[in-house]
Amino acid sequence: MYSKFFKRLIDIVLSGLGIIFLSPVFLILAIAIKIDDPGPVFFKQKRLTIHKEYFNIMKFRTMKMETPKDMPTHLLENPEQYITKVGRILRKTSLDELPQLFQIFTGKMSIIGPRPCLWNQYDLIEERDKYGANDVRPGLTGWAQINGRDELPIDVKAKFDGEYVERMSFAFDVKCFIGTVISVLKSDGVVEGGTGELEKKELEKK
């Protein structure tokens, strides 16, 4: 009952309120992005939603206009060179994700769930298939995001996503939400080009 009805109702109510009350923040960030690096305010990228259907995720643009398209940040050579000054702040505070409130409101995403992967992240898609994590709405944040975020290798991230699917409930969503707030305040697990960074650090210690 929760996953089929109440979860969606909560998404609609909270995202709607977020859009209304955060509209001044949207305006301020849009102006800052334009001043810092002329170009579109929003960044759109082809991602997967529930049942592996495609949609264009929306973020505030944090990368320079010359950044290679449709490439995960962790595959870019020296990704730091492509990030704008405002973009660094947006990424560190996760404010670049705010436009996804509109996509939560329209049903493409949920507040809590596995993060939507790129359409060509075949390794992550395949791993998530093992756990049924591609058959739920992707989230603004999720269980994997508060357990390592960018630092997690693909297989570990997929396991956390699968664990979320198994434990999905109102109480678990609240736990993920609170954990996300704490992680954002501490900037835990934010590593540019960082998929698998935790694994790399462990190898370096050996």
Side-chain angles (χ1 to χ4, degrees):
M1 177 65 76
Y2 172 72
S3 62
K4 292 182 179 179
F5 178 73
F6 287 109
K7 183 175 175 66
R8 179 70 192 124
L9 179 61
I10 291 170
D11 284 342
I12 292 172
V13 172
L14 293 185
S15 62
L17 291 173
I19 291 168
I20 293 170
F21 289 110
L22 293 175
S23 55
V25 177
F26 275 76
L27 180 59
I28 293 169
L29 294 180
I31 294 171
I33 291 167
K34 277 285 189 182
I35 293 174
D36 187 21
D37 186 62
V41 169
F42 298 110
F43 167 74
K44 295 182 180 180
Q45 192 176 55
K46 189 177 179 181
R47 302 268 183 131
L48 262 62
T49 183
I50 187 171
H51 305 313
K52 293 190 282 190
E53 296 179 359
Y54 297 128
F55 81 113
N56 287 317
I57 196 170
M58 282 179 57
K59 296 186 178 187
F60 280 121
R61 183 171 60 87
T62 60
M63 309 289 274
K64 297 175 182 177
M65 293 302 296
E66 66 265 27
T67 306
K69 306 297 181 184
D70 287 328
M71 185 178 291
T73 305
H74 70 277
L75 293 181
L76 291 172
E77 186 175 347
N78 186 20
E80 285 283 351
Q81 66 178 314
Y82 296 108
I83 303 173
T84 64
K85 293 177 182 178
V86 171
R88 286 190 177 88
I89 299 172
L90 294 179
R91 283 174 168 242
K92 187 173 183 179
T93 58
S94 295
L95 288 173
D96 59 318
E97 310 285 358
L98 282 181
Q100 289 158 49
L101 288 173
F102 292 96
Q103 297 178 302
I104 293 170
F105 190 78
T106 58
K108 294 295 184 184
M109 293 178 61
S110 180
I111 293 174
I112 309 295
R115 281 296 295 164
C117 60
L118 277 165
W119 65 275
N120 56 359
Q121 282 184 287
Y122 304 117
D123 50 354
L124 179 56
I125 295 168
E126 184 177 353
E127 285 294 316
R128 282 179 169 177
D129 271 336
K130 298 177 182 178
Y131 306 104
N134 290 317
D135 295 321
V136 297
R137 280 191 181 88
L140 182 66
T141 185
W143 187 230
Q145 277 57 56
I146 63 175
N147 282 285
R149 200 171 174 176
D150 295 333
E151 296 185 340
L152 295 175
I154 294 297
D155 58 336
V156 176
K157 184 180 293 186
K159 286 181 181 178
F160 276 122
D161 291 334
E163 186 178 347
Y164 172 75
V165 174
E166 290 182 359
R167 299 176 62 183
M168 189 188 304
S169 65
F170 176 72
F172 196 55
D173 276 2
V174 170
K175 181 175 182 177
C176 290
F177 184 84
I178 294 173
T180 296
V181 174
I182 294 172
S183 293
V184 169
L185 292 176
K186 296 169 63 179
S187 296
D188 282 348
V190 181
V191 181
E192 296 307 336
T195 296
E197 283 298 316
L198 194 60
E199 187 175 49
K200 292 175 187 175
K201 289 176 183 176
E202 290 300 319
L203 289 172
E204 289 171 359
K205 291 178 182 178
K206 295 180 180 179

